């Protein structure tokens, strides 16, 4: 199993989700000493991409389309059980439009049932729900797209309106063309950056309103102006970066078990 996303609620409780077939969700309540399988889907078509939670009880997982329909799962009991709510999203995905399970951050939840999901490949869009995934809208995302290896690989929202999408082409990880876009209206329209991140980036994170970090296989970058301009701070590449829910801890994780801490 290839686990691509984790949600930790405490030092003892966490949930992990696999990408590919079979789709498996596991839960631990003893800090990872043991795991309980809480969901399994053996369909050859299933491919889950990312997971996020509004609180300890309520969460959502999305996956690549089956029959042009984005796959959606929800939990209301802390991950003990998962229900398929794919029928809630009636917006069809075009052929070749899917998403990337690179860092688990192409999905982001916000307060009061808001959630954003980014798709890429042949077409890039930002899907949005304001009611815990019961109904959806979609707007185009003006990042690089058109090939199966291109699109937004990660999104981050400081608030409902102010957000960012990063990505590129993972097959050309030093390519900087149109690999980062900003929005001030919840993804309805997008702004180009003045200085792009320095290559394909699979994860982006708001450290504060103005400070953001992005990382990918070709290096790690920082922005001090809300994502408008970027500076490379390390050629060291990672797959994911996240800030702790509380406090100042910022961790990056990469291949071969590599973990780094970023200090501010």
């Amino acid at each position: 199993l290839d686990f691509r996303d984790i949600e930790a609620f405490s030092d003892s409780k966490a949930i992990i989700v696999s990408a590919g077939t079979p789709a498996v969700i596991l839960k631990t309540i003893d800090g990872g000493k043991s795991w309980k399988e809480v969901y399994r889907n053996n369909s050859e078509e299933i491919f889950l991409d990312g997971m996020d939670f509004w609180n300890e009880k309520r969460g959502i997982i999305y996956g690549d389309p089956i029959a042009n329909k984005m796959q959606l799962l929800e939990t209301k009991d802390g991950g003990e059980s998962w229900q398929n709510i794919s029928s809630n999203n009636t917006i069809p995905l075009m052929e070749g439009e899917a998403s990337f399970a690179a860092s688990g951050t192409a999905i982001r939840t916000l307060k009061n049932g808001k959630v954003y999901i980014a798709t890429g490949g042949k077409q890039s869009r930002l899907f949005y729900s304001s009611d815990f995934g019961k109904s959806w809208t979609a707007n185009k995302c003006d990042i690089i797209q058109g090939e199966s290896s291109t699109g937004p690989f990660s999104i981050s929202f400081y608030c409902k309106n102010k957000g960012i999408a990063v990505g590129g082409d993972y097959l050309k990880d030093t390519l900087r063309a149109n690999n980062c876009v900003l929005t001030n209206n919840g993804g309805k329209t997008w702004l180009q950056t003045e200085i792009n991140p320095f290559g394909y980036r699979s994860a982006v994170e708001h450290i504060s309103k103005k400070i953001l970090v992005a990382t990918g296989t070709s290096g790690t970058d920082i922005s001090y102006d809300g994502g408008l301009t970027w500076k490379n701070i390390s050629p060291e590449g990672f797959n994911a970066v996240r800030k702790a829910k509380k406090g100042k801890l910022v961790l990056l994780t990469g291949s071969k078990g590599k973990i780094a801490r970023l200090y501010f």
Side-chain angles (χ1 to χ4, degrees):
L1 296 175
D2 185 4
F3 291 101
R4 301 286 187 95
D5 202 355
I6 183 168
E7 184 80 14
F9 302 97
S10 67
D11 59 352
S12 58
K13 181 180 175 183
I15 294 172
I16 55 177
V17 57
S18 71
T21 302
V24 174
I25 305 170
L26 303 180
K27 180 178 180 179
T28 181
I29 56 172
D30 58 12
K33 295 184 180 71
S34 63
W35 294 86
K36 173 185 176 182
E37 184 177 298
V38 291
Y39 177 86
R40 176 179 287 263
N41 186 330
N42 292 313
S43 167
E44 294 182 359
E45 299 175 298
I46 195 72
F47 194 104
L48 300 180
D49 294 302
M51 165 180 63
D52 210 355
F53 276 72
W54 290 281
N55 51 52
E56 276 204 36
K57 291 294 185 182
R58 197 155 193 177
I60 186 170
I61 291 173
Y62 84 104
D64 285 351
I66 297 177
N68 302 115
K69 183 179 288 293
M70 180 186 289
Q71 298 302 292
L72 296 166
L73 303 173
E74 73 167 358
T75 181
K76 296 180 181 179
D77 57 10
E80 283 294 317
S81 64
W82 293 85
Q83 290 74 46
N84 189 325
I85 59 167
S86 303
S87 59
N88 289 355
N89 188 350
T90 59
I91 305 169
L93 274 68
M94 73 172 289
E95 191 71 28
E97 179 185 7
S99 193
F100 301 103
S103 64
T105 54
I107 180 172
R108 296 280 190 162
T109 56
L110 282 78
K111 295 178 180 178
N112 302 318
K114 300 178 184 67
V115 57
Y116 289 97
I117 296 174
T119 62
K122 294 292 184 180
Q123 175 177 252
S124 293
R125 289 189 287 179
L126 186 72
F127 286 76
Y128 171 68
S129 172
S130 61
D131 53 10
F132 296 97
K134 294 176 184 174
S135 62
W136 294 84
T137 59
N139 290 294
K140 66 177 183 177
C141 180
D142 295 327
I143 201 168
I144 184 173
Q145 56 195 276
E147 302 293 335
S148 61
S149 56
T150 61
F153 284 71
S154 178
I155 56 175
S156 181
F157 277 81
Y158 183 75
C159 60
K160 174 188 173 182
N161 291 321
K162 190 175 183 63
I164 185 171
V166 304
D169 186 340
Y170 75 84
L171 296 178
K172 303 173 183 176
D173 68 356
T174 59
L175 184 69
R176 297 177 62 188
N178 196 22
N179 64 347
C180 178
V181 288
L182 307 171
T183 181
N184 291 316
N185 56 13
K188 294 174 184 174
T189 59
W190 298 89
L191 307 170
Q192 298 295 321
T193 53
E194 293 181 5
I195 300 177
N196 291 347
F198 288 70
Y200 154 75
R201 297 295 179 254
S202 58
V204 64
E205 183 83 336
H206 275 90
I207 308 304
S208 66
K209 184 176 181 180
K210 292 293 186 180
I211 302 174
L212 295 93
V213 176
T215 194
T217 51
S218 59
T220 301
D221 309 321
I222 194 165
S223 173
Y224 293 103
D225 55 12
L228 193 61
T229 63
W230 290 86
K231 176 183 178 182
N232 184 255
I233 56 173
S234 175
E236 192 82 15
F238 297 87
N239 301 123
V241 56
R242 291 301 300 265
K243 180 182 182 294
K245 292 180 176 68
K246 299 178 181 179
K248 296 182 178 180
L249 180 66
V250 178
L251 296 177
L252 302 95
T253 62
S255 59
K256 300 179 180 178
K258 179 170 58 177
I259 304 173
R261 181 174 180 179
L262 187 60
Y263 290 88
F264 287 90

